[in-house]
Amino acid sequence: MRFDTLIRQATVTTSTHQEVADVGIVNGKIASIGNLGDASAERVIEAEHLHLLPGGIDSQVHFREPGLTHKEDIESGTRAAIHGGITSILEMPNTNPNTTSAERLQEKLDSGAKTAWCHYGFFIGASTENAEDLADLEKLPGTPGVKIFMGSSTGSLLVSDDDDLRRVLRSGRKRCPIHAEDEPRNKERKALLSDNPHPREHPYLRDATSALIATQRILRLSEETGRPVHVLHISTADEIPVIEDAKKRGIGTTMEVLPQHIYFSAPECYDRLGSLAQMNPPIRSEEHRQAILAAVQRGSFDIFGSDHAPHTLEEKSQTYPASPSGMPGVQTLLPVLLTMVHRGWFPLSTVVRMLCENPAKLYGIRGKGHLEVGYDADLVLVDLKQEKVVAKPMLQTKCGWSPYEGDTLTGWPTHVFLNGTLVVENDERIPQRHAEQLEFA
Ligand code: DOR
């Protein structure tokens, strides 16, 4: 048998099994997995000491185009993605203007077709004005569905009261990712800011109760309307039993965890990083961190995302709370997760399940996320032993910084394939683009 590319003797890893095998690629798809002893190929990659995974799918990134492209754009954000072993991204609608119509979606898709380095899809934003249109909007090509901000964060998207949320949830069928923080409570608590404000106050102002109330409200409305929701970036111990209980009731609830909510904890992160650690929902105390990690370990979470949310250092240097919330992370997502594997927090199979297979499954992304014959050959070889210190020169994001700078991460991508083409090898990127618009079932 002759292949376009043959990856030899990699440790092929899925969520359910691991074996040393050869993987043959033909026409951009995985054609064969096994002992392909005498097969030949145009390109052979010897991968004895490497693990082969499906390419990562980062289902929560903010790439700032249009309107905020001094922070990031689709070109730079997707470039950061492939350098980090992420082969597909789903981008959020809080740009300027917001992605709340077919025209705005098309503009992003057109830009993606010209500039993207990895495969892409763009969420539509729910608003009180477009609620009735969402059932049609969610069916458009190139979108995985509709994102709801229940609490305001960066930008103006907001659907905060129950009647409006019902209108949005009843308009369409696809799984809705939710930013669950309670707007009235967050507003009220702004008054508690001290006279000498510091980002350390962030998890106190946007407190755990705010996240809990919003999560309880959206689960109630999900059950009432029959619309499945995906609660993004769980930040509290309190929300976990509530979502675990909803899962048992079979209302289709899923939840996401970000590595930063289990890597950092308060107050240490704010003392050391100041506003660079400021994000919504906030990084909280060690108690919350441990409860979230324990829930990852017992398999309660569905998806790892980065919530890549770049702001410039100049913007971040404003005095809290004028400093904007959010941190970049699409390029470091996989290395940080591999570092957690190295520390023994969870096995590599958990990374494959939550970063590759589940995002594809839960958003219905065709051909992606699985290391199986017939799937697209979006693949990443990783060296689980490679150590590198995160430093500015390696960062592709326009904002030019990372909260992990100075930290040694153990486990890095060495080869990244998009539809069978080797697009990044040891951090060297080929100049041609091979990215495509994602298709959603
Ligand atoms: O911290 C955050 N920043 N949380 C969000 O939900 C939005 C994001 C951004 O877009 O900056």
Side-chain angles (χ1 to χ4, degrees):
M1 175 102 193
R2 186 157 174 87
F3 298 103
D4 299 335
T5 300
L6 184 58
I7 302 168
R8 278 207 189 275
Q9 295 298 290
T11 304
V12 172
T13 306
T14 75
S15 65
T16 52
H17 77 281
Q18 200 168 55
E19 60 171 328
V20 174
D22 307 323
V23 174
I25 298 168
V26 176
N27 287 335
K29 301 218 183 280
I30 301 169
S32 203
I33 305 174
N35 186 349
L36 307 175
D38 48 10
S40 61
E42 231 141 273
R43 182 198 285 267
V44 177
I45 291 162
E46 302 295 342
E48 278 89 13
H49 304 296
L50 304 175
H51 284 67
L52 186 66
L53 324 176
I57 301 174
D58 191 346
S59 50
Q60 195 191 172
V61 299
H62 303 266
F63 284 167
R64 311 304 192 198
E65 179 181 337
L68 304 157
T69 53
H70 64 287
K71 302 180 202 265
E72 198 78 286
D73 56 26
I74 293 169
E75 189 281 322
S76 60
T78 52
R79 174 157 41 83
I82 57 165
H83 278 266
I86 301 298
T87 51
S88 294
I89 58 92
L90 303 180
E91 204 257 359
M92 289 298 167
N94 58 330
T95 43
N96 187 12
N98 295 315
T99 319
T100 47
S101 67
E103 293 71 31
R104 296 279 102 92
L105 171 65
Q106 194 55 50
E107 284 163 13
K108 283 192 175 178
L109 292 171
D110 290 346
S111 178
K114 288 194 210 100
T115 69
W117 293 99
C118 74
H119 307 312
Y120 50 87
F122 300 102
F123 282 101
I124 300 280
S127 73
T128 51
E129 289 87 41
N130 74 356
E132 275 67 39
D133 305 330
L134 293 170
D136 290 330
L137 290 172
E138 73 166 16
K139 291 186 199 136
L140 293 171
T143 185
V146 172
K147 157 91 180 267
I148 304 177
F149 281 91
M150 292 174 73
S152 51
S153 189
T154 301
S156 59
L157 281 175
L158 182 66
V159 183
S160 70
D161 78 59
D162 282 6
D163 285 340
D164 288 327
L165 286 165
R166 270 189 200 95
R167 284 168 56 219
V168 169
L169 292 174
R170 288 200 171 116
S171 183
R173 299 173 55 182
K174 287 184 173 180
R175 176 178 306 281
C176 260
I178 310 285
H179 183 117
E181 287 185 278
D182 190 73
E183 185 68 8
R185 184 172 174 97
N186 285 357
K187 267 195 182 149
E188 200 181 285
R189 291 181 68 83
K190 280 185 181 167
L192 302 176
L193 187 69
S194 75
D195 295 337
N196 188 15
H198 187 276
R200 208 182 291 118
E201 293 166 54
H202 198 55
Y204 171 68
L205 294 187
R206 296 181 82 118
D207 70 346
T209 304
S210 168
L212 177 64
I213 294 173
T215 292
Q216 285 170 327
R217 281 176 54 215
I218 201 67
L219 293 179
R220 209 173 51 237
L221 293 167
S222 167
E223 198 154 14
E224 180 188 320
T225 58
R227 183 82 182 264
V229 296
H230 175 61
V231 188
L232 297 167
H233 40 44
I234 295 293
S235 63
T236 72
D238 315 53
E239 292 162 282
I240 291 167
V242 173
I243 296 188
E244 285 175 336
D245 184 57
K247 285 184 169 215
K248 282 191 202 128
R249 291 204 303 286
I251 57 172
T253 314
T254 53
M255 61 173 166
E256 178 199 55
V257 58
L258 314 180
Q260 53 269 44
H261 281 128
I262 45 176
Y263 186 94
F264 299 109
S265 66
E268 188 277 337
C269 67
Y270 299 105
D271 293 342
R272 188 164 58 85
L273 297 168
S275 67
L276 300 186
Q278 179 194 332
M279 63 166 297
N280 300 330
I283 294 167
R284 306 187 189 278
S285 67
E286 184 59 20
E287 268 178 359
H288 288 291
R289 187 190 79 80
Q290 284 184 15
I292 298 168
L293 178 57
V296 173
Q297 291 167 338
R298 64 177 176 268
S300 293
F301 277 98
D302 301 282
I303 285 185
F304 283 124
S306 74
D307 196 5
H308 177 83
H311 299 285
T312 65
L313 284 171
E314 195 185 341
E315 289 162 343
K316 278 288 201 182
S317 69
Q318 295 166 86
T319 306
Y320 181 82
S323 46
S325 292
M327 55 175 70
V330 69
Q331 190 178 349
T332 46
L333 175 59
L334 179 59
V336 171
L337 293 173
L338 296 179
T339 300
M340 293 173 178
V341 170
H342 173 75
R343 291 179 183 177
W345 291 8
F346 40 77
L348 188 58
S349 57
T350 299
V351 176
V352 177
R353 181 174 71 85
M354 290 174 56
L355 184 66
C356 316
E357 296 175 3
N358 275 352
K361 199 164 83 186
L362 297 175
Y363 287 117
I365 311 177
R366 284 218 179 91
K368 304 298 183 195
H370 294 265
L371 214 174
E372 283 171 40
V373 170
Y375 278 86
D376 295 346
D378 291 344
L379 298 167
V380 57
L381 279 165
V382 298
D383 180 348
L384 293 181
K385 298 211 171 102
Q386 190 175 49
E387 292 188 352
K388 273 198 263 184
V389 179
V390 178
K392 281 195 194 324
M394 68 170 68
L395 300 173
Q396 302 286 329
T397 172
K398 260 195 197 181
C399 76
W401 62 275
S402 162
Y404 303 99
E405 266 171 67
D407 291 3
T408 301
L409 300 182
T410 308
W412 290 83
T414 58
H415 300 72
V416 184
F417 302 84
L418 231 52
N419 292 339
T421 301
L422 182 59
V423 293
V424 177
E425 183 173 4
N426 295 320
D427 238 15
E428 290 286 323
R429 185 181 69 258
I430 63 164
Q432 297 83 15
R433 288 188 167 76
H434 291 272
E436 288 175 351
Q437 180 178 318
L438 292 168
E439 286 178 27
F440 300 93

